[in-house]
Amino acid sequence: MSPGDVVFLPHGRGHAIADDPATPLADVVQTPDGNWVLAEDTPPGAGPTTLMLCGAYRLNRARAHPLLTGLPDVVHLPARIGAHPALRAAVDLLGRELDQPGPGSDAVVPALLDTLLIYILRAWLDDHAGQVATGSAAALADPAVADALHSIHHHPAHPWTVEELGARAGLTRAAFARRFATLVGQPPLAYLTWWRMIIASRLLSTSDAPLRVVAQNGGYSSEFAFAKAFKRQFGISPGSYRRRHDNPVRTPVTPCQASFTADEWQLSDSTRRGCCDFSCQRSWFA
């Protein structure tokens, strides 16, 4: 790593950071507020101080976003002159906001963290354009499949058929189905069902929407058919899922509102938590 580099670990693997592979690793301890700091008996290093801006996204691994599952264990974006100016700007803005917080910082920092993640994903996609044969990255680079994904994501309640999705791309039913399954990893209607269940699970855990409304926003006219599909996906009934993932902060949802909660770039259930500056053990954010 060099100054200005960005590293993203999309799968939550354990990791360590050192100036050299032969350097013994220092012990770290977790504080009551969730931050990690160097153990009290850790001697200071002899070299210059390194300041690192760190953060974390907590994601539900049972509903991992397809774009994340297709990423390598380590996404390393070196700082190169003229490369990814939007990503560089997002990093600079976040660092400045944390170093010099002002009115509204509690709202600005989470928004910048979300923005930073999007720019990291965009930068990785740009760097690997044409190099990935399958997965969400390849699917988004294919105009026909990308259009189908966009349609499914923004209108999940629509009664989509393979023929209709293929016609939008100018392909026959068979040609489109093969192309979609090859790039995405599952048939079009299987992906549609999966996406509908993702939306339903989000509504069940974050809103007071009755089961009828949740079913309608997933394209199901029958609560029974919806409950059956949901249990097949998650292994439990919608009611049991809601009780298990009960969120004390709930918002009422209407069918028209809920139908626009999904987007291909939206990562479900992301929360941000902090890190520290390892040189001075100053907490960046909680």
Side-chain angles (χ1 to χ4, degrees):
M1 292 174 58
S2 301
D5 285 11
V6 174
V7 176
F8 177 51
L9 307 176
H11 307 302
R13 302 281 193 266
H15 63 283
I17 301 175
D19 62 338
D20 187 272
T23 301
L25 298 178
D27 290 331
V28 294
V29 294
Q30 189 172 25
T31 60
D33 61 3
N35 288 322
W36 291 89
V37 298
L38 292 173
E40 292 183 359
D41 58 350
T42 302
T49 296
T50 298
L51 183 67
M52 302 188 71
L53 179 64
C54 310
Y57 296 84
R58 185 173 299 155
L59 304 176
N60 188 333
R61 292 298 166 188
R63 299 184 277 142
H65 195 284
L67 189 56
L68 293 181
T69 59
L71 294 176
D73 287 344
V74 178
V75 173
H76 180 204
L77 301 170
R80 299 190 300 268
I81 296 177
H84 312 307
L87 174 60
R88 303 261 69 83
V91 172
D92 291 342
L93 282 172
L94 182 58
R96 180 177 178 82
E97 191 65 33
L98 293 171
D99 188 51
Q100 303 177 26
S105 286
D106 288 345
V108 172
V109 169
L112 286 174
L113 281 169
D114 285 341
T115 303
L116 178 62
L117 178 56
I118 300 303
Y119 283 133
I120 289 174
L121 296 176
R122 285 182 176 178
W124 187 86
L125 290 172
D126 288 343
D127 287 348
H128 294 79
Q131 301 177 27
V132 182
T134 60
S136 293
L140 292 174
D142 184 281
V145 176
D147 181 77
L149 291 172
H150 180 87
S151 299
I152 290 172
H153 291 163
H154 287 272
H155 305 286
H158 182 79
W160 295 109
T161 64
V162 178
E163 289 87 350
E164 183 178 4
L165 291 170
R168 292 174 61 90
L171 299 173
T172 64
R173 179 187 185 280
F176 170 76
R178 285 195 301 270
R179 195 160 168 177
F180 190 99
T182 298
L183 293 176
V184 178
Q186 55 183 320
L189 297 188
Y191 182 89
L192 171 63
T193 299
W194 174 82
W195 187 250
R196 286 172 169 176
M197 294 303 104
I198 292 297
I199 296 171
S201 65
R202 184 182 303 143
L203 289 176
L204 289 170
S205 60
T206 62
S207 77
D208 286 323
L211 189 59
R212 171 183 55 81
V213 173
V214 177
Q216 288 175 355
N217 280 279
Y220 291 88
S221 58
S222 164
E223 292 182 34
F224 175 78
F226 164 73
K228 185 177 180 180
F230 190 93
K231 187 171 184 178
R232 186 165 54 246
Q233 180 74 32
F234 290 97
I236 58 176
S237 68
S240 298
Y241 184 93
R242 169 168 275 172
R243 289 188 293 272
R244 182 177 297 181
H245 298 81
D246 184 56
N247 186 336
V249 181
R250 292 181 174 275
T251 55
V253 176
T254 63
C256 61
Q257 291 173 325
S259 62
F260 292 99
T261 60
D263 186 271
E264 57 261 49
W265 290 107
Q266 188 173 23
L267 304 180
S268 306
D269 298 336
S270 65
T271 58
R272 312 92 178 160
R273 56 192 181 83
C275 74
C276 59
D277 165 5
F278 292 108
S279 64
C280 64
Q281 301 181 20
R282 168 186 172 189
S283 174
W284 276 115
F285 53 94

